């Protein structure tokens, strides 16, 4: 697992690196926090990002939160102090593990494991939500298309659905695609006979 480490202190970065190496994780990339973070991270191509900030200002935290939104990778962030607002902003930004005053060599690996698992769980939930939204949109399109067919062709609901399904099978397309085409056609054609 390739891990990017972002820390303004070389001493703390060494503690983190030692903790990771002791845990059997040696594929590390040290990122210069003074440079362009996203460019460095894209070049390093880490699977996980570990950030340690001693006393971050609100602007510094916001920069890191913006980076975490753009990365789409598990991020574990250690800070020496925080408040409820910063913690909420970290969660909203997608930081997988936000640890306050807890940087210790032996805790780094478990925190990284937690960050990866939380990121995977959140990504799974996002996929499931996207699939559910897509299925709902498909269902709504099918229902609208059935209503149009029922009105235009004088069919009952089972016959309208059978017509949609038959056309989908004949054209080797999904029923939802056929339904969208009917809805779009109806919107363009309006009440023409």
């Amino acid at each position: 697992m390739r891990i990017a480490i972002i820390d303004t202190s070389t001493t703390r970065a060494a503690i983190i690196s030692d903790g990771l190496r002791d845990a059997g994780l040696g594929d590390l990339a040290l990122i210069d926090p003074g440079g362009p973070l996203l460019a460095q991270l894209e070049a390093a191509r880490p699977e996980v990002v570990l950030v340690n900030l001693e006393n971050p200002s609100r602007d510094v935290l916001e920069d890191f939160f913006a980076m975490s939104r753009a990365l789409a990778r598990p991020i574990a962030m250690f800070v020496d102090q925080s408040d409820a607002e910063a913690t909420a902003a970290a969660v909203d930004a997608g930081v997988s593990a936000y640890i306050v005053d807890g940087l210790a060599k032996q805790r780094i690996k478990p925190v990284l494991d937690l960050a990866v698992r939380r990121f995977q769980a959140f990504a799974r939930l996002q996929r499931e939500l996207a699939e559910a939204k897509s299925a709902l949109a498909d269902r709504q399109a099918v229902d609208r298309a059935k209503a149009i067919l029922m009105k235009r062709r004088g069919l009952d609901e089972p016959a309208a659905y059978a017509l949609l399904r038959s056309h989908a099978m004949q054209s080797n397309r999904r029923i939802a695609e056929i339904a969208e085409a009917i809805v779009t056609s109806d919107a363009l054609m309006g009440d023409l006979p």
Side-chain angles (χ1 to χ4, degrees):
M1 173 185 333
R2 185 157 179 78
I3 302 167
I5 301 169
I6 302 172
D7 199 322
T8 54
S9 164
T10 54
T11 304
R12 288 191 318 256
I15 292 170
I16 292 169
S17 297
D18 289 345
L20 292 170
R21 284 191 186 96
D22 288 351
L25 301 168
D27 191 5
L28 309 176
L30 295 174
I31 305 296
D32 175 16
L37 290 176
L38 280 176
Q40 291 179 76
L41 288 167
E42 287 172 359
R45 302 176 66 115
E47 295 170 67
V48 180
V49 178
L50 199 149
V51 180
N52 185 42
L53 302 172
E54 189 174 14
N55 286 320
S57 69
R58 185 80 51 216
D59 291 341
V60 168
L61 276 176
E62 190 53 45
D63 289 345
F64 278 99
F65 296 159
M67 174 205 60
S68 72
R69 281 189 214 72
L71 268 184
R73 298 219 183 358
I75 297 176
M77 184 176 282
F78 291 87
V79 295
D80 285 352
Q81 47 185 291
S82 186
D83 57 26
E85 188 178 319
T87 303
V91 171
D92 291 345
V95 172
S96 303
Y98 186 75
I99 312 301
V100 180
D101 194 25
L103 180 62
K105 190 171 152 179
Q106 68 276 12
R107 292 186 69 205
I108 294 171
K109 172 76 166 89
V111 167
L112 251 133
D113 290 342
L114 169 71
V116 169
R117 283 195 172 89
R118 286 197 60 205
F119 179 82
Q120 291 169 341
F122 186 71
R124 185 183 70 250
L125 288 173
Q126 285 182 313
R127 273 192 314 276
E128 290 171 0
L129 177 61
E131 289 169 5
K133 285 181 177 181
S134 177
L136 179 60
D138 288 352
R139 184 74 203 148
Q140 289 172 335
V142 168
D143 287 344
R144 287 194 311 264
K146 285 191 304 187
I148 292 167
L149 290 172
M150 289 164 61
K151 177 181 172 190
R152 294 220 177 225
R153 296 233 177 147
L155 301 172
D156 63 3
E157 186 175 358
Y161 184 76
L163 183 61
L164 280 171
R165 189 179 68 215
S166 170
H167 190 68
M169 289 180 2
Q170 288 171 2
S171 62
N172 199 25
R173 293 168 59 194
R174 293 176 38 245
I175 291 176
E177 291 176 49
I178 301 301
E180 280 294 331
I182 289 170
V183 169
T184 300
S185 174
D186 185 66
L188 290 173
M189 302 303 281
D191 287 333
L192 291 178

